[in-house]
Amino acid sequence: MTVVEAEASPRRTPPRRDGVASQWGGSGLFTQTIALTGRSLRPYMNAGVIIVTFVEPLVMLLMFAGVLKVLGEAPGMSKDMAYIDGLAPAIMIITAVAAGAQAGNGLINDLRNDVITRFHTLPINRFSVLLARSFADAARSLYQLIAVAVLAALIFGFAPPGGVLGVLGAIVMSLLVGWSMSWIFIMMAALLRNGDVLRMITTLLTFPLLFASNAFVPPESMPTGLRVIAQGNPISYANDAVRSLVAGNASAMELLTTVAVCLALVCVCAPISKRSFRVM
């Protein structure tokens, strides 16, 4: 090749070998999700956040099991189960749903800090970012759910008929309910992209869902209008499923129905979240 031909030929840029693009481009959805989940969990690993995370279920237990213990005598409340045995599962559901509601705020914070923009420059599956966000908040709620069960046993004598297996089943079911609910807030975060609006909607949505249910008193003891809402509230059905697990009398149909509803919720919200996330 002559000098003229060499100068006229296009100069090829050597491939990038800094390891970043090749590492992400060669990994699958599972590997990317695990790595990003670890990244989302790091802010929860400092001492202050861990203490607050531990105190939240303790406050709920003290407030509802201590101050509102008289509600155990309310008409319609089951007399063959101690009030704490019915309350602890409800607090598990509340804890899991509250943790799931934070998933949307976490996504908004990443967007505000331009983390999402940097993710878009990497050759990764963008859905892994959403999956990691949901799994990180589920992992955080797992710590709280274990704390609820342990504190309820140590302070209030929580000893349900279902035993350890029933409590473990209740924790797993609560995790599933909270994880499926997190996709509602991830979807809203991807659509709204406004933290202030999302927080207001989160409060308006979670407050009636959690408290206008059978979590603290049976619907039979409520006024007519509130009783209708509580009986149709999906959180009431989740509470029934978790309570039946700790009571040791869960039916397969009841559990399968709860699991099916949770998975249906994810199947509806996850594709919308993914589609909206592409244009972020």
Side-chain angles (χ1 to χ4, degrees):
M1 180 181 293
T2 64
V3 176
V4 175
E5 291 174 340
E7 291 178 351
S9 62
R11 183 173 299 175
R12 295 181 179 179
T13 302
R16 180 178 176 181
R17 299 188 180 278
D18 58 3
V20 176
S22 60
Q23 177 185 359
W24 285 101
S27 60
L29 177 64
F30 177 79
T31 302
Q32 294 172 9
T33 302
I34 293 298
L36 292 173
T37 300
R39 173 219 161 249
S40 298
L41 280 173
R42 288 191 192 101
Y44 299 144
M45 293 298 102
N46 66 75
V49 174
I50 291 177
I51 292 174
V52 172
T53 302
F54 180 80
V55 168
E56 285 177 350
L58 175 61
V59 170
M60 283 193 290
L61 277 172
L62 292 175
M63 180 172 63
F64 292 116
V67 178
L68 302 181
K69 188 176 181 180
V70 66
L71 294 178
E73 304 299 326
M77 181 64 73
S78 175
K79 303 303 180 183
D80 56 354
M81 176 183 286
Y83 183 61
I84 187 61
D85 292 345
L87 177 66
I91 292 182
M92 289 181 183
I93 292 292
I94 291 174
T95 300
V97 172
Q102 296 303 314
N105 291 325
L107 187 61
I108 290 291
N109 290 335
D110 286 343
L111 180 64
R112 183 177 300 170
N113 296 332
D114 292 331
V115 174
I116 301 300
T117 302
R118 291 196 290 272
F119 284 157
H120 286 346
T121 64
L122 297 174
I124 64 175
N125 190 324
R126 295 181 181 179
F127 190 54
S128 64
V129 180
L130 302 181
L131 283 173
R133 184 75 264 168
S134 68
F135 289 147
D137 288 281
R140 176 173 175 262
S141 70
L142 174 61
Y143 168 74
Q144 291 184 306
L145 292 171
I146 295 174
V148 169
V150 172
L151 291 172
L154 293 177
I155 299 176
F156 298 102
F158 177 52
V164 175
L165 289 179
V167 174
L168 291 177
I171 291 175
V172 172
M173 184 63 72
S174 299
L175 275 177
L176 178 61
V177 172
W179 179 71
S180 64
M181 290 290 293
S182 72
W183 282 101
I184 296 178
F185 304 102
I186 290 175
M187 178 187 68
M188 290 193 297
L191 291 172
L192 297 173
R193 309 177 193 182
N194 186 307
D196 295 331
V197 175
L198 179 63
R199 279 188 288 273
M200 288 188 291
I201 293 178
T202 299
T203 302
L204 290 174
L205 181 62
T206 56
F207 188 82
L209 273 177
L210 296 177
F211 292 96
S213 68
N214 62 356
F216 308 111
V217 294
E220 292 79 7
S221 63
M222 299 178 179
T224 303
L226 191 58
R227 180 171 66 249
V228 172
I229 295 175
Q231 290 174 339
N233 190 339
I235 297 297
S236 294
Y237 293 96
N239 286 331
D240 289 338
V242 175
R243 281 170 174 157
S244 65
L245 284 167
V246 301
N249 56 9
S251 65
M253 181 59 67
E254 184 178 39
L255 299 180
L256 289 175
T257 300
T258 305
V259 172
V261 171
C262 290
L263 294 181
L265 184 61
V266 175
C267 290
V268 170
C269 296
I272 298 175
S273 304
K274 181 180 179 181
R275 192 176 303 111
S276 301
F277 187 66
R278 286 176 180 172
V279 296
M280 269 189 166

